[in-house]
Amino acid sequence: MINAALIGFLIGIVFYSIIKNSLGFLTIIPLFLAYKLINNPKYNTKELESLLKERNLK
């Protein structure tokens, strides 16, 4: 939930920056941060999958 709010906030900054000043270096920074938040999950899926296999759930 917090990640979704941060991503929305960062994309809002990008839209405001594009409308106000056009595309620049300060526009790329929030895009990079949003990309990192989207592609970096907080949990390790390998550990979860091994636990599910151990319990015969998957």
Side-chain angles (χ1 to χ4, degrees):
M1 192 76 165
I2 293 174
N3 277 353
L6 286 174
I7 291 168
F9 179 71
L10 291 172
I11 290 176
I13 290 173
V14 168
F15 282 133
Y16 178 77
S17 176
I18 289 173
I19 290 171
K20 209 61 170 156
N21 299 326
S22 88
L23 197 61
F25 179 70
L26 293 178
T27 306
I28 296 172
I29 294 171
L31 282 176
F32 176 73
L33 291 175
Y35 172 77
K36 288 302 241 182
L37 282 173
I38 291 170
N39 289 326
N40 190 10
K42 297 260 186 227
Y43 55 88
N44 190 355
T45 57
K46 292 178 184 176
E47 291 179 16
L48 180 61
E49 288 176 5
S50 67
L51 185 62
L52 288 173
K53 280 184 181 180
E54 181 181 304
R55 295 182 180 183
N56 294 325
L57 296 174
K58 186 175 179 183

